[in-house]
């Protein structure tokens, strides 16, 4: 078999991978405990990190019970900014090793997001909300985004990939709701780990000569089925009432035209989709790709840029809208495993079909679970246009029509 080395061939992904997971999927949403076991503190910003991990959920609970939540949230903003102003956290932030920096950035964004969400809860005017966030905290947040460019709001990467969920989780709620919130994030993190393994297997099949194609696809199938098992825990065991208590913190920013962190912005599910069914998605659901480029800043940047590099056919960084997306070129099939599968045919084609079916089940279950816990209970999705609704967005990833 000839070498399949290409100008855009990559080594296994060098993007941040979710932490190794001693917590098994069957442990999440067990509802057996009302406390979080913080076995190993990860506090890269000292007092600021301590405050986010230990005090922030208590402050939120106090604001919710306050007779004057408007004054209480303003006081919280002043307290946070005064704490940050006492130390040169900007210099500390910029000197941290990358792994510590990512957790520090998460801490900062959790504070900023809290200030906005609680300002909305208290009914503050936009001007007062900005004053509550404060210049000192805002400046620190800008510094974090200068070191690692990305959307300037709490992101899926902050919430899931860099949140130290195993040992020292960042959550907004107390008690059982806080445990459920941690499990919600942790379940996504476990899924990300399974998707990474599936993606690595597909990349090996696509880019490395003389590999065992059947072994690669069998591993991909195994990992996708494992991700489906985790997602089943969400569908069958997550508490709607507890979910309702923390989901508000992960919605759209109530004062800015930005989206909230969501599994929609998993770059790994995008990568697996491109590798397995990239051309079919383009033919049947081109809006999937249009939104991918339109909202690229919401995705974990290193991973999504690598995907864009595949889709640019190895000609450097992908343009804002590549020629194939505008109908000026053919879709780059070389970014997918299709040419390799066609070369083998037979049993390999059958295995690829099984992987596609597993991916389709994952996509459908993600959609149905999201609808079950958001739309069907009648909970409002504040500030979301029809085109950005849960149903519209997740249906874009289905190869066939959605069924309810």
């Amino acid at each position: 078999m000839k070498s399949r080395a290409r100008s855009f061939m990559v080594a296994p992904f060098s993007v941040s991978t979710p932490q190794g997971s001693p917590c098994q999927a069957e442990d999440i949403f067990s509802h057996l405990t009302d406390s979080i076991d913080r076995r190993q503190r990860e506090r890269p910003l000292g007092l600021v990190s301590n405050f986010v991990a230990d005090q922030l959920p208590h402050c939120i609970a106090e604001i919710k019970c306050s007779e004057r939540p408007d004054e209480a949230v303003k006081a919280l903003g002043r307290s946070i900014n005064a704490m940050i102003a006492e130390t040169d956290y900007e210099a500390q932030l910029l000197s941290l090793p990358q792994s510590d920096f990512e957790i520090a950035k998460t801490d900062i964004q959790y504070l900023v997001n809290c200030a906005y969400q609680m300002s909305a809860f208290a009914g503050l005017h936009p001007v007062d909300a900005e004053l509550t966030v404060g210049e000192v905290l805002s400046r620190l947040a800008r510094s974090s985004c200068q070191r690692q460019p990305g959307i300037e709001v709490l992101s899926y990467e902050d919430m899931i990939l860099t949140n130290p969920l195993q040992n020292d989780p960042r959550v907004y709620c107390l008690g059982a709701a806080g445990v459920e919130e941690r499990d919600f994030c942790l379940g996504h993190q476990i899924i990300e780990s399974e998707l990474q393994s599936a993606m690595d297997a597909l990349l090996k099949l696509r880019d490395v000569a003389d590999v065992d194609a059947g072994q690669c696809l069998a591993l991909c199938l195994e990992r996708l089925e494992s991700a489906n098992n985790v997602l089943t825990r969400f569908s069958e065991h997550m508490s709607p009432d507890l979910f309702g208590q923390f989901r508000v913190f992960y919605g759209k920013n109530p004062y800015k035209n930005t989206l909230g962190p969501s599994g929609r912005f998993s770059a790994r599910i995008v990568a697996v989709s491109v590798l397995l069914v990239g051309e079919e998605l383009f033919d049947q659901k081109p809006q999937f790709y249009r939104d991918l480029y339109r909202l690229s800043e919401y995705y974990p940047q290193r991973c999504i840029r690598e995907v864009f590099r595949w889709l640019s056919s190895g000609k450097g960084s992908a343009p804002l809208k590549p020629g194939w997306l505008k109908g000026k070129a053919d879709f780059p099939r070389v970014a997918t495993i299709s040419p390799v599968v066609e070369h083998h045919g037979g049993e390999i084609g059958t295995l690829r079909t099984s992987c596609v079916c597993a991916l389709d089940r994952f996509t459908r279950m993600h959609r149905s679970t999201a609808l079950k816990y958001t739309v069907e209970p009648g909970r409002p999705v504040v500030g979301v246009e029809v085109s950005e609704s849960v149903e519209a967005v997740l249906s874009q990833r289905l190869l066939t029509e959605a069924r309810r």
Side-chain angles (χ1 to χ4, degrees):
M1 179 177 167
K2 294 182 180 179
S3 170
R4 296 197 297 276
R6 305 183 179 93
S7 59
F8 63 92
M9 181 176 131
V10 296
F13 259 60
S14 58
V15 298
S16 57
T17 305
Q19 307 160 30
S21 179
C23 177
Q24 301 300 312
E26 58 268 21
D27 295 330
I28 63 174
F29 308 124
S30 61
H31 313 296
L32 297 178
T33 178
D34 62 356
S35 64
I36 294 174
D37 180 16
R38 300 180 185 276
R39 298 181 298 277
Q40 178 183 335
R41 289 158 58 95
E42 298 191 49
R43 311 291 172 87
L45 284 183
L47 290 177
V48 170
S49 294
N50 288 343
F51 180 82
V52 174
D54 298 331
Q55 299 301 318
L56 191 60
H58 293 275
C59 294
I60 291 170
E62 290 173 3
I63 291 170
K64 287 185 174 181
C65 294
S66 173
E67 294 182 357
R68 289 295 308 273
D70 54 339
E71 293 301 326
V73 73
K74 290 178 184 178
L76 174 62
R78 290 193 295 269
S79 176
I80 291 171
N81 278 270
M83 174 179 60
I84 295 173
E86 290 179 356
T87 303
D88 190 354
Y89 282 107
E90 189 169 355
Q92 184 176 337
L93 176 74
L94 298 178
S95 66
L96 289 171
Q98 183 62 25
S99 59
D100 287 340
F101 166 78
E102 289 175 347
I103 296 174
K105 177 178 177 290
T106 292
D107 286 333
I108 294 164
Q109 290 299 342
Y110 263 71
L111 286 175
V112 173
N113 185 59
C114 172
Y116 280 120
Q117 298 292 351
M118 295 311 294
S119 291
F121 169 80
L124 295 188
H125 185 276
V127 173
D128 290 325
E130 292 298 336
L131 290 173
T132 298
V133 176
E135 178 54 34
V136 177
L137 176 57
S138 295
R139 186 168 60 247
L140 191 60
R142 288 193 297 270
S143 295
S144 72
C145 290
Q146 287 170 2
R147 173 170 169 175
Q148 183 172 305
I151 192 67
E152 293 186 4
V153 294
L154 183 70
S155 67
Y156 181 77
E157 185 168 21
D158 299 323
M159 175 187 175
I160 304 300
L161 300 184
T162 62
N163 190 339
L165 294 161
Q166 293 283 352
N167 303 318
D168 203 17
R170 276 44 170 174
V171 295
Y172 286 117
C173 293
L174 292 172
V179 174
E180 196 82 349
E181 181 183 358
R182 189 278 310 270
D183 285 357
F184 177 84
C185 295
L186 183 57
H188 281 84
Q189 192 176 88
I190 296 171
I191 288 171
E192 287 287 334
S193 182
E194 301 294 2
L195 292 174
Q196 180 71 50
S197 297
M199 184 171 64
D200 288 343
L202 293 173
L203 284 171
K204 187 175 182 180
L205 173 62
R206 189 192 70 180
D207 292 340
V208 180
D210 302 321
V211 297
D212 186 326
Q215 187 178 63
C216 290
L217 287 171
L219 177 58
C220 174
L221 178 60
E222 178 185 306
R223 295 301 92 202
L224 289 176
E225 293 292 8
S226 182
N228 276 321
N229 289 337
V230 181
L231 196 53
T232 299
R233 293 290 302 180
F234 281 79
S235 180
E236 296 180 355
H237 298 282
M238 190 167 68
S239 163
D241 291 337
L242 295 177
F243 175 72
Q245 292 183 47
F246 66 77
R247 75 178 290 264
V248 63
F249 293 101
Y250 301 107
K252 292 186 68 171
N253 186 304
Y255 294 96
K256 297 180 180 293
N257 187 28
T258 55
L259 300 173
S262 164
R264 170 189 186 178
F265 299 119
S266 167
R268 288 183 176 90
I269 195 63
V270 170
V272 171
S273 299
V274 168
L275 289 163
L276 272 178
V277 292
E279 188 174 25
E280 291 93 330
L281 267 176
F282 177 60
D283 290 340
Q284 298 179 34
K285 299 292 178 72
Q287 190 62 38
F288 168 83
Y289 287 102
R290 295 190 187 106
D291 277 5
L292 189 61
Y293 282 88
R294 178 174 66 91
L295 302 173
S296 61
E297 62 187 337
Y298 287 91
Y299 290 84
Q301 290 302 291
R302 281 171 289 177
C303 188
I304 203 64
R305 287 174 183 171
E306 194 63 41
V307 174
F308 286 160
R309 195 159 72 93
W310 307 341
L311 294 170
S312 67
S313 300
K315 298 177 182 178
S317 298
L320 186 61
K321 283 189 178 181
W324 55 266
L325 191 53
K326 296 184 285 186
K328 297 180 179 180
D330 293 332
F331 180 86
R333 296 182 76 240
V334 71
T336 76
I337 65 167
S338 293
V340 180
V341 173
E342 289 169 3
H343 173 81
H344 284 278
E347 183 180 348
I348 299 305
T350 301
L351 265 175
R352 185 257 187 183
T353 298
S354 295
C355 290
V356 173
C357 289
L359 176 64
D360 184 64
R361 286 197 301 277
F362 179 90
T363 306
R364 290 184 180 280
M365 194 184 308
H366 187 201
R367 175 183 177 276
S368 64
T369 303
L371 293 178
K372 173 182 176 181
Y373 285 95
T374 57
V375 177
E376 289 178 7
R379 296 191 177 95
V381 185
V382 179
V384 176
E385 296 80 11
V386 173
S387 63
E388 294 290 351
S389 69
V390 172
E391 185 165 10
V393 168
L394 296 183
S395 293
Q396 291 170 9
R397 302 182 177 217
L398 300 176
L399 286 179
T400 54
E401 289 304 311
R403 298 186 297 271
R404 293 202 63 169

